[in-house]
Amino acid sequence: MNVRMSSTALAAALVLGIAAGPASPALAAGTGASAATGHSVQRAPVTEAPDAEALRTAIAGLPKDDATAALVRVSGSGGDWRGSSGVHDLASGRPADPDGRFRAGSVTKVFTAAVVLQLAEEGRLGLDRPVRRYLPDLIPAAYKDVTVRQLLNHTSGIPSVGSGGDLDDWYAHRFDPHDPERTVREATSQEPDFVPGTQQHYANIGYTVAGLLIERVTGDRYASQVSRRVLEPLRLKDTYFPGADPAIRGPHNHGYQLFGTGELRDVTVWGATDAWAAGDLISTTADLERFTRALFGGRVVRGPLLQEMFTLPDASVREYGTGKPAAYSAGLSVMRLGGREVWGKTGGRWGYNTVVAATRDLSRTLVYSVNSTDAKGDDMNPTAMNIVVAAFGAPSAG
């Protein structure tokens, strides 16, 4: 398959999303995960070394139109590769900081799902129990059948809210505070998109509810629970939740967004309270690599509940509005690259796109941060797309 064909196929199946917007697709299954479609999937471990030349080529020439910087980490049984390209900021032109922090966007959902599954393991909540049992004052009777599991795998039917306006409108309101309870009340005041459990609609709202569920069950703040349960045990010292602070603390590379007028604006400072438990995390590639390896290795969620993160809904469940196969599990999603299942999650905030991805056996992992200039584009960022293909191979069908 030539490069152009690989890029076209991948762009159709793998889209970088926006935690700030109405939808933030993860590593989506374009040609089917075996768990959902019954396809035969090669599970042989990745033994070859990372293709260093392809990875260097993927991030070469930055800054350019689609991205100003890229930070990449590939690891596994075949060896490791680290690379960075681009600039810290356009004004100074100095090299990008390979250890810089960035907005991880919807990768936050993986952390949220992990904590909910930990609470299930402890018997403090049940995945098949109605969410209304835990949040009776917040979830109305119209949503009485929505279960905790359905929040995590996007099959709740709760509609999205707050997605109106164009980029200029988002920019004008980038510092506005958002209250998660108010968001949930607004969403659940509307009619369900579908009967819970019958379709899948990727959105932030389920994880906003999940964050409130964590708080109600534990009697503690969401950020505090994730920090105590995940960040501190794994020593993710450069990962944190910004709360109401619109800035990125510590070393970081600037993010830029291309506006409709052709103007490229620095959007590094931008509030993330609209995303909260669905997408406000700030991290580094080193921390996210450590988290991915710990998660897949069973050191974050243990026992049978870890399998929830690698199990898609029943094959009868289709994507809302398109009829495509369901692609999302609890916190992750899956597609086939280079003949293997690759599980992971994309995320994005204005100026920043992120991926955590790995084969189930951890024989190949990928984490990147790409300072994309079109975080809400319909197609996948070209630099990010090239990194994925260089790390795992082209999408494979059947």
Side-chain angles (χ1 to χ4, degrees):
M1 183 177 291
N2 63 40
V3 173
R4 182 178 183 131
M5 290 175 66
S6 298
S7 299
T8 302
L10 188 58
L14 184 63
V15 182
L16 283 174
I18 310 164
S24 178
L27 199 62
T31 53
S34 59
T37 65
H39 285 309
S40 175
V41 177
Q42 179 178 331
R43 291 182 171 83
V46 181
T47 57
E48 67 272 16
D51 189 335
E53 182 178 357
L55 288 162
R56 283 193 295 268
T57 300
I59 63 174
L62 301 183
K64 54 187 179 182
D65 289 347
D66 70 285
T68 59
L71 316 177
V72 182
R73 297 175 73 94
V74 178
S75 67
S77 55
D80 302 337
W81 188 87
R82 309 283 182 260
S84 64
S85 181
V87 295
H88 167 271
D89 65 280
L90 292 176
S92 72
R94 73 177 190 265
D97 183 348
D99 301 316
R101 293 173 174 173
F102 50 82
R103 302 189 187 280
S106 285
V107 170
T108 309
K109 292 181 175 70
V110 190
F111 289 76
T112 303
V115 171
V116 171
L117 293 172
Q118 286 183 357
L119 292 169
E121 180 186 4
E122 295 164 11
R124 301 175 72 176
L125 56 78
L127 295 182
D128 291 316
R129 290 177 181 170
V131 180
R132 194 166 190 252
R133 173 172 178 168
Y134 307 101
L135 298 168
D137 55 323
L138 192 62
I139 304 300
Y143 290 92
K144 64 182 176 61
D145 295 326
V146 173
T147 68
V148 175
R149 178 181 282 107
Q150 290 164 354
L151 294 179
L152 300 184
N153 67 14
H154 305 282
T155 61
S156 71
I158 302 175
S160 298
V161 294
S163 57
D166 58 15
L167 176 55
D168 288 307
D169 187 58
W170 278 103
Y171 184 78
H173 294 279
R174 66 193 183 280
F175 300 132
D176 289 0
H178 298 264
D179 177 69
E181 287 196 10
R182 181 176 179 179
T183 299
V184 173
R185 292 186 193 281
E186 181 182 353
T188 56
S189 69
Q190 303 177 31
E191 292 294 318
D193 282 340
F194 48 81
V195 175
T198 62
Q199 298 185 65
Q200 188 173 74
H201 184 194
Y202 182 89
N204 283 346
I205 188 64
Y207 279 76
T208 302
V209 179
L212 293 170
L213 178 63
I214 290 169
E215 294 195 334
R216 185 66 60 87
V217 169
T218 65
D220 193 12
R221 293 183 304 111
Y222 161 80
S224 176
Q225 280 292 303
V226 180
S227 296
R228 184 176 70 80
R229 291 171 172 272
V230 182
L231 307 189
E232 292 168 10
L234 296 181
R235 300 189 301 280
L236 306 183
K237 60 184 178 61
D238 290 312
T239 301
Y240 74 97
F241 296 93
D245 186 356
I248 300 175
R249 301 197 303 263
H252 60 277
N253 302 307
H254 287 226
Y256 296 86
Q257 175 67 34
L258 184 66
F259 282 69
T261 60
E263 177 189 5
L264 196 63
R265 296 182 193 172
D266 189 326
V267 293
T268 307
V269 181
W270 193 308
T273 57
D274 59 300
W276 192 51
D280 70 346
L281 192 75
I282 290 174
S283 191
T284 63
T285 54
D287 273 9
L288 291 181
E289 182 182 72
R290 180 179 295 179
F291 169 70
T292 301
R293 299 192 69 81
L295 179 70
F296 281 48
R299 293 188 287 119
V300 179
V301 179
R302 296 173 176 82
L305 284 166
L306 177 59
Q307 191 58 32
E308 292 287 335
M309 305 191 86
F310 300 98
T311 302
L312 302 180
D314 184 87
S316 65
V317 176
R318 315 296 282 188
E319 183 181 6
Y320 177 65
T322 71
K324 296 178 180 178
Y328 301 93
S329 63
L332 300 174
S333 64
V334 63
M335 74 176 300
R336 294 188 65 209
L337 296 168
R340 298 176 177 89
E341 284 186 352
V342 176
W343 292 85
K345 186 72 186 76
T346 62
R349 294 291 296 182
W350 302 113
Y352 300 90
N353 284 136
T354 303
V355 145
V356 296
T359 55
R360 183 66 182 85
D361 61 4
L362 288 173
S363 59
R364 173 63 51 84
T365 71
L366 166 67
V367 175
Y368 70 62
S369 171
V370 172
N371 292 48
S372 168
T373 61
D374 187 12
K376 202 172 182 177
D378 292 332
D379 297 321
M380 187 177 177
N381 177 270
T383 296
M385 180 167 55
N386 291 338
I387 294 169
V388 171
V389 172
F392 290 109
S396 48

